[in-house]
């Protein structure tokens, strides 16, 4: 086993390697939509108390007028531009409704509508910008420059986009690899978790494939470029995320089609209510008042609020329990899933290697603790993840580690140190020059068959024991798989870039039979789309950059929050903040409860709106009574939806998800 001597600092620190990707994050107020919405909200909040306390209209009227102008000019302009293309959308309709409310004296109601509408637009713009930030940040994983080796043996530093297929580049220890290619010479270990999701660095030697943006360990590599920068795995991940996001457009097109029809219907109906009585000899003022009353009572606000309170209450309740659901649309979609796909490393497992087996060899004279103490003493100077696992295991047991001298590390092979006057070697069995005896080989074979990483320990060149290291399964993994199976009617898939043997072992422990191992990001997307073509709505749970395309392609994507990559967190529809895997089926059950309340509320809202519209058309509905009935229906459906804020709602969802 080799040792990575270069310490990796936190992102954004002063000592961060040059190849590390900077975190991009759009500031809220850098977006014009957010600035306009903020100003409109401030104006509304100043005007409202002035109006309610009986201040003269000249004090609060101009403030409302400014709120109308500041918050409404953008959607009004967008609506007018749509009209030029013979399209009538809800943007313009909401502005007309707000102006109509002002025309009949409901100035505050119209201003509130403007503020809510502009704030929603700002949030949509922010979400779009943040997703774009994370995608651009992924491209920054690849270094800006690379060291190209010329035919005469000299070196030159060139931008990575100028590298061509067939070029040879030199990758020094600690550098990020500048292009997809194959190792010509050298030995090292490469951290390629951003691409494959593997929890441990992978030993690389001549003939092995490497990827742009992955981090080289302690050895130097000469790599032959095999793909242009635009065709690298990193670039293809970005393209897959964008393409997968666009596959959701048909749903958006359907919504826009409904909005278009509703907008046209509302305009025609309002004009009819105004024009027909007027043509039959009714007074102009009465006809206008009836039409404005119709616009108010037939407005979609009650229907929208009938939908939003249950979903927003569910979002708030889930948030209190460590699940960040990014929008009401996502909360609704969670309840529609009928298939699930889970990542392995960092999702079903904790993503941190731990010592699972201590196997002293017969004749070594060592106990388990003595074997661990020797290995930990030799590994103590190392920063390799497996070395850290060995040292942490020794510290957990309270073992005292002897001082190690003459420490040395060989990339892809192992470490050697002098401990208590003896030469202790710890490393990969297949690459150690000293032959392992038959007992050692049997133990190694057994551990590797069970999906462990075998680490051989030698003292003065003689094998004395074998350590087994593996990523630890989350305590709630098996229960989560069982719960998702019950909710969706089928056992989840396991999608992982790890080796098939480790994947099969873990799948057997949690009860998964459909195992897809050794996958690159595009392979995970293909597995998700395969299920979607069969008519399934797939829930994907993952944590890494390599999971981001599948998260975007899925009907709903959920990311593990603590160790999740920026791209996965931005691409996912929901985030498990505390990494409690059992909350995944719980939030699915909560979503289904919210959707049932939405149906109830839509029925209530429809009954109220229909009754008020019929009253206004058949008889004479006083405007105050129309407003009271309209607002009354809103209060009823709002209170019904707020039931999901109670702790009992989450408790019930947890019970349904188990």
């Amino acid at each position: 086993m080799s040792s990575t001597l270069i310490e990796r600092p936190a992102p954004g620190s002063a000592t961060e390697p040059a190849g590390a990707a900077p975190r991009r994050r759009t500031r809220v107020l850098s977006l014009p939509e957010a600035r306009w919405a903020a100003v409109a909200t401030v104006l509304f909040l100043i005007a409202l108390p002035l109006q309610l306390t009986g201040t003269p209209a000249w004090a609060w009227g101009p403030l409302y007028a400014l709120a109308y102008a500041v918050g409404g000019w953008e959607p009004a302009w967008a609506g007018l531009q749509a009209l030029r293309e013979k399209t009538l959308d809800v943007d313009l309709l909401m502005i007309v409704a707000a102006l109509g409310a002002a025309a009949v004296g409901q100035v505050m109601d119209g201003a509130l509508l403007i503020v809510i509408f502009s704030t929603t637009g700002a949030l949509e713009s922010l979400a779009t910008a943040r997703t774009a930030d994370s995608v651009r940040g992924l491209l920054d994983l690849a270094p800006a420059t690379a060291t190209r080796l010329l035919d005469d043996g000299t070196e030159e530093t060139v931008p990575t986009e100028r590298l061509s297929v067939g070029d040879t580049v030199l990758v020094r220890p600690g550098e990020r690899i500048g292009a997809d290619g194959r190792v010509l010479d050298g030995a090292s270990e490469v951290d390629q978790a951003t691409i494959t999701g593997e929890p441990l660095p992978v030993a690389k030697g001549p003939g092995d494939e490497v990827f742009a943006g992955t981090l080289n360990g302690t050895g130097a590599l000469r790599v032959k470029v095999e793909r242009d920068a635009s065709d690298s795995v990193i670039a293809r991940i970005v393209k897959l995320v964008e393409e997968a996001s666009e596959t959701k457009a048909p749903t958006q097109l359907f919504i826009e089609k409904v909005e278009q029809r509703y907008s046209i219907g509302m305009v025609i109906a309002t004009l009819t209510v105004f024009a027909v009585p007027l043509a039959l000899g009714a007074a102009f003022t009465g006809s206008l008042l009836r039409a404005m009353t119709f616009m108010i009572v037939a407005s979609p606000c009650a229907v929208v609020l009938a939908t939003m309170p249950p979903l927003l209450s569910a979002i708030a309740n889930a948030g209190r329990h460590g699940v960040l659901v990014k929008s009401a649309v996502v909360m609704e979609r969670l309840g529609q899933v009928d298939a699930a796909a889970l990542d392995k490393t960092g999702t079903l497992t904790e993503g941190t290697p731990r010592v699972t087996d201590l196997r002293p060899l017969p004749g070594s004279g060592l106990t388990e603790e003595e074997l661990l103490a020797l290995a930990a003493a030799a590994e103590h100077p190392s920063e390799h993840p497996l070395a850290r696992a060995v040292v942490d295991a020794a510290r957990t047991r309270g073992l005292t580690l002897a001082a190690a001298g003459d420490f040395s590390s060989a990339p892809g092979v192992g470490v050697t140190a002098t401990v208590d006057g003896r030469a202790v070697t710890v490393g990969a069995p297949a690459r150690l020059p000293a032959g392992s005896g038959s007992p050692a080989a049997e133990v190694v074979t057994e551990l590797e068959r069970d999906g462990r990483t075998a680490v051989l320990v030698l003292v003065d060149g003689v094998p004395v024991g074998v350590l087994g290291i593996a990523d630890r399964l989350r305590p709630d993994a098996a229960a989560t798989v069982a719960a998702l199976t019950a909710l969706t009617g089928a056992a989840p898939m396991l999608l992982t870039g790890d080796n098939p043997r480790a994947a099969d072992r873990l799948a057997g422990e949690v009860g998964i039979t459909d195992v897809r191992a050794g996958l690159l990001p595009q392979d995970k997307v293909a597995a998700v789309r395969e299920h979607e073509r069969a008519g399934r709505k797939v829930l994907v749970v993952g944590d890494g950059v390599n999971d981001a395309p599948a998260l975007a392609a899925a009907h709903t994507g959920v990311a593990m929050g603590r160790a999740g990559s920026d791209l996965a967190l931005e691409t996912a529809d929901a985030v498990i903040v505390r990494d409690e895997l059992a909350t995944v089926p719980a939030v699915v059950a909560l979503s289904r409860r919210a959707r049932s309340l939405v149906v109830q509320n839509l029925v209530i809202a429809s009954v109220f709106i229909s009754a008020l519209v019929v009253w206004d058309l058949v008889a004479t509905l006083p405007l105050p009574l129309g407003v009271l009935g309209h607002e009354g229906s809103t209060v009823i459906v709002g209170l019904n939806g707020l039931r999901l804020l109670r702790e009992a709602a989450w408790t019930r969802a947890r019970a349904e998800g188990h």
Side-chain angles (χ1 to χ4, degrees):
M1 180 196 337
S2 57
S3 177
T4 302
L5 300 177
I6 298 173
E7 182 178 356
R8 270 182 268 168
S13 66
T15 57
E16 184 179 356
R23 183 188 178 100
R24 299 173 182 254
R25 196 168 184 84
T26 298
R27 295 181 180 275
V28 176
L29 292 181
S30 67
L31 299 172
E33 296 89 348
R35 294 196 295 269
W36 291 121
V39 172
T41 302
V42 170
L43 291 169
F44 176 81
L45 293 177
I46 295 174
L48 181 61
L50 293 177
Q51 180 188 16
L52 296 179
T53 54
T55 305
W58 60 262
W60 48 264
L63 295 174
Y64 277 138
L66 285 173
Y68 274 76
V70 171
W73 78 267
E74 268 195 320
W77 179 249
L80 291 174
Q81 288 182 315
L83 275 180
R84 294 177 59 185
E85 300 177 1
K86 299 180 180 180
T87 300
L88 185 64
D89 61 14
V90 170
D91 285 8
L92 187 59
L93 181 61
M94 290 299 99
I95 300 302
V96 171
L99 294 175
V104 295
Q106 305 297 322
V107 179
M108 185 269 289
D109 292 343
L112 180 60
L113 179 59
I114 290 289
V115 168
I116 293 174
F117 197 60
S118 62
T119 301
T120 301
L123 292 175
E124 290 176 356
S125 298
L126 179 62
T128 300
R130 289 285 171 83
T131 301
D133 288 344
S134 63
V135 173
R136 290 196 300 269
L138 174 60
L139 289 174
D140 289 339
L141 282 172
T145 61
T147 302
R148 180 163 61 187
L149 298 177
L150 303 180
D151 293 339
D152 59 2
T154 59
E155 303 175 3
E156 65 172 351
T157 301
V158 298
T160 51
E161 61 267 20
R162 287 179 51 192
L163 292 175
S164 302
V165 175
D167 285 348
T168 300
V169 295
L170 174 64
V171 185
R172 294 185 171 88
E175 291 184 345
R176 288 192 178 271
I177 296 172
D180 286 7
R182 199 165 297 276
V183 177
L184 294 177
D185 185 42
S188 185
E189 64 287 322
V190 176
D191 183 349
Q192 53 188 35
T194 53
I195 300 297
T196 66
E198 292 172 284
L200 306 174
V202 178
K204 297 291 184 180
D208 291 334
E209 186 177 19
V210 293
F211 304 106
T214 55
L215 185 65
N216 187 28
T218 56
L221 299 173
R222 286 197 304 121
V223 176
K224 181 179 180 181
V225 178
E226 293 189 338
R227 296 189 189 97
D228 292 328
S230 60
D231 195 39
S232 68
V233 172
I234 285 283
R236 281 185 285 167
I237 291 177
V238 173
K239 184 178 180 182
L240 284 168
V241 171
E242 293 171 345
E243 289 178 350
S245 298
E246 290 172 1
T247 61
K248 297 178 182 178
T251 302
Q252 182 62 30
L253 290 174
F254 173 77
I255 293 173
E256 291 174 359
K257 187 181 296 184
V258 172
E259 289 178 351
Q260 175 70 7
R261 292 175 179 175
Y262 176 81
S263 302
I264 295 174
M266 276 290 297
V267 170
I268 293 174
T270 302
L271 292 175
T272 302
V273 170
F274 171 68
V276 170
L278 190 64
L280 296 177
F284 177 84
T285 302
S287 299
L288 179 61
L289 185 60
R290 182 188 293 271
M292 288 298 98
T293 303
F294 175 83
M295 176 173 282
I296 290 173
V297 299
S299 71
C301 298
V303 175
V304 170
L305 288 175
T307 304
M308 295 303 290
L311 298 174
L312 294 179
S313 298
I315 289 172
N317 202 336
R320 289 202 309 266
H321 294 88
V323 184
L324 172 62
V325 180
K326 294 185 178 180
S327 73
V329 174
V330 173
M331 178 54 76
E332 187 175 20
R333 291 169 68 90
L334 276 165
Q336 299 170 351
V337 299
D338 57 9
L342 306 176
D343 175 47
K344 173 182 170 288
T345 304
T347 301
L348 286 173
T349 69
E350 295 177 349
T352 304
R354 298 179 185 274
V355 175
T356 57
D357 299 87
L358 296 170
R359 307 288 287 274
L361 296 177
S364 66
L366 298 176
T367 64
E368 290 186 358
E369 290 192 346
E370 290 171 341
L371 173 65
L372 179 59
L374 273 177
E379 293 274 28
H380 188 265
S382 172
E383 289 296 331
H384 193 284
L386 294 187
R388 294 298 87 206
V390 174
V391 174
D392 289 344
R395 288 174 175 168
T396 300
R397 296 192 177 209
L399 302 181
T400 301
L401 304 185
D406 301 324
F407 175 82
S408 64
S409 168
V413 176
V415 301
T416 300
T418 301
V419 180
D420 290 335
R422 295 181 292 177
V424 179
T425 302
V426 185
R431 299 202 175 194
L432 285 173
S436 57
S438 181
E442 292 177 0
V443 173
V444 168
T445 301
E446 177 187 344
L447 291 176
E448 291 183 343
R449 184 175 59 246
D450 291 337
R452 268 70 164 173
T453 297
V455 177
L456 187 64
V457 182
L458 297 92
V459 175
D460 294 329
V462 179
V464 296
V466 183
L467 310 181
I469 299 180
D471 195 2
R472 190 165 65 181
L473 190 69
R474 292 187 187 275
D476 52 0
T480 299
V481 170
L484 287 174
T485 301
L487 286 170
T488 63
M493 294 185 292
L494 178 61
L495 306 179
T496 178
D498 212 343
N499 67 79
R501 193 159 46 192
D504 288 336
R505 179 187 61 81
L506 181 136
E509 292 182 25
V510 299
I512 294 178
T513 56
D514 188 356
V515 180
R516 317 283 180 92
L519 304 182
L520 288 174
Q522 57 265 35
D523 302 321
K524 294 186 177 184
V525 172
V528 171
R529 288 179 174 164
E530 173 188 331
H531 274 61
E532 289 185 339
R533 284 193 296 270
R536 309 302 293 271
K537 296 177 179 178
V538 184
L539 168 71
V540 172
V541 186
D543 71 306
V545 167
N546 60 311
D547 298 318
L551 291 171
H555 181 269
T556 309
V558 177
M560 305 299 287
R562 286 184 178 173
S565 68
D566 286 350
L567 184 61
L569 297 179
E570 294 289 353
T571 303
D573 300 305
V575 177
I576 308 301
V577 178
R578 302 170 189 165
D579 277 7
E580 296 176 9
L581 195 59
T583 58
V584 174
V587 77
V588 171
L590 185 66
S591 170
R592 293 183 177 180
R593 176 62 178 160
R595 294 178 69 224
S596 69
L597 286 184
V598 166
V599 173
Q600 293 178 20
N601 286 347
L602 286 173
V603 172
I604 295 171
S606 298
V607 169
F608 268 85
I609 291 175
S610 299
L612 292 172
V613 166
V614 170
W615 189 348
D616 184 54
L617 294 177
V618 174
T620 300
L621 175 63
L623 179 60
L625 190 57
V627 172
L628 180 62
H630 184 263
E631 297 303 323
S633 66
T634 301
V635 171
I636 291 173
V637 299
L639 291 176
N640 190 40
L642 292 178
R643 291 160 53 195
L644 290 183
L645 281 174
R646 298 179 301 175
E647 184 67 24
W650 181 260
T651 303
R652 179 178 175 182
R654 287 293 293 260
E656 292 176 359
H658 280 80

